[in-house]
Amino acid sequence: MIKAVNCLPDINDNSVEFLKIKFNLNSYSDIAYFWVQDETNTIISMLDGNAVIKNFDCDTNELSEFLNIINPKSVFSDAKTLKALGYSFNKASVMKYIGKDFERTLTGEYLASDDIYKIFLKAGFKMPKFEDFATDYCHRLNHGFAQSIGIKDTCAAVLFKDNENILINGIASLEKGYGSMMLTLIANEHKDKNIFAVCEESVKEFYIKNGFEEVYKVGYKVE
């Protein structure tokens, strides 16, 4: 049975899906939706029509029927779950920082939301409307669950975080070498935390050469 909840099960799990759900709860407990299937088999969140699924041992048929009812705009989960649900989806890789010694240094500076947005647009990222991006980023930032680093007109990274984990939500560089230096800065600043990123296959080697390894495959199903 899938039921609505207002808190998450006490589970020690560092998957990106579970982190995304926790970050939604931390920042948007008042407007996001959360469900669990049979206590801990599956955990689901939905914010602004975008669903995230953490599958431990789900009843696929029930989950599929439930998703048809809530009708999300997009679904993010591990690749095996999306395949079991019969979805066509865009594959991505979960990358985890495992450590590497670098001599590169970069001193970041404060970037306003419009500075970050402009860099991501120039780098070719598909972005939501600026008002939606700025509202979400500033809300998470003001509640202590987001951070940005970068240099104006050159590079930017947006991080989602809690006390133990960092999820690189986006990283962009308009000049060669600055992307790698930002990853080094993130790693140096958050040595005591787990650092994750989700990336497309085409940029997986960028993360590997900067001290990350691939952990597993995930995907995005979009209408």
Side-chain angles (χ1 to χ4, degrees), residues 66-84:
F66 178 74
L67 292 171
N68 286 335
I69 293 171
I70 65 173
N71 192 29
K73 294 187 296 185
S74 70
V75 178
F76 176 83
S77 190
D78 67 278
K80 289 182 179 180
T81 297
L82 294 174
K83 186 175 180 179

Side-chain angles (χ1 to χ4, degrees), residues 9 15 22 25 29 38 49 88 122 125 151 153 155 187 193 198 201 212 217:
S15 68
K22 283 204 300 182
L25 180 65
S29 60
D38 298 331
S88 297
K122 288 181 180 178
F125 279 70
I151 298 174
D153 300 324
C155 59
K193 296 184 180 181
V198 178
E201 190 72 20
F212 287 71
K217 296 289 188 183

Side-chain angles (χ1 to χ4, degrees), residues 68-195:
N68 286 335
I69 293 171
I70 65 173
N71 192 29
K73 294 187 296 185
S74 70
V75 178
F76 176 83
S77 190
D78 67 278
K80 289 182 179 180
T81 297
L82 294 174
K83 186 175 180 179
L85 290 168
Y87 289 157
S88 297
F89 57 93
N90 300 320
K91 286 186 179 180
S93 297
V94 173
M95 311 298 294
K96 182 178 181 181
Y97 183 71
I98 57 174
K100 193 170 182 178
D101 294 328
F102 294 106
E103 296 181 357
R104 297 188 299 262
T105 59
L106 172 70
T107 301
E109 61 185 61
Y110 171 79
L111 295 180
S113 56
D114 59 335
D115 294 327
I116 299 168
Y117 191 81
K118 289 174 184 176
I119 291 172
F120 276 89
L121 277 184
K122 288 181 180 178
F125 279 70
K126 184 178 179 181
M127 300 291 291
K129 294 179 181 179
F130 172 71
E131 293 78 8
D132 296 336
F133 167 81
T135 299
D136 178 59
Y137 168 69
C138 292
H139 180 82
R140 294 178 189 268
L141 181 68
N142 292 337
H143 284 76
F145 299 115
Q147 176 187 352
S148 69
I149 64 168
I151 298 174
K152 189 173 181 178
D153 300 324
T154 302
C155 59
V158 174
L159 318 176
F160 291 167
K161 63 179 184 174
D162 61 17
N163 291 332
E164 298 177 353
N165 304 284
I166 295 291
L167 175 60
I168 301 173
N169 196 55
I171 184 169
S173 174
L174 303 180
E175 295 186 20
K176 186 175 177 63
Y178 280 88
S180 294
M181 286 191 284
M182 280 196 295
L183 288 182
T184 303
L185 179 61
I186 293 168
N188 288 339
E189 184 175 339
H190 299 287
K191 291 180 179 179
D192 59 335
K193 296 184 180 181
N194 301 308
I195 303 174

Side-chain angles (χ1 to χ4, degrees), residues 1-3 5 7-13 15 17-22 25 33-46 51-59 63 66-67 75-78 81:
M1 177 183 294
I2 296 176
K3 63 179 182 180
V5 295
C7 63
L8 299 180
D10 185 13
I11 296 171
N12 184 17
D13 184 84
S15 68
E17 307 94 277
F18 191 58
L19 291 182
K20 282 177 172 284
I21 292 171
K22 283 204 300 182
L25 180 65
Y33 298 94
F34 303 90
W35 301 271
V36 296
Q37 182 188 57
D38 298 331
E39 303 303 329
T40 59
N41 283 359
T42 311
I43 304 172
I44 309 156
S45 76
M46 189 162 72
V52 181
I53 300 170
K54 172 55 189 175
N55 175 14
F56 292 99
D57 185 22
C58 77
D59 178 334
L63 180 59
F66 178 74
L67 292 171
V75 178
F76 176 83
S77 190
D78 67 278
T81 297

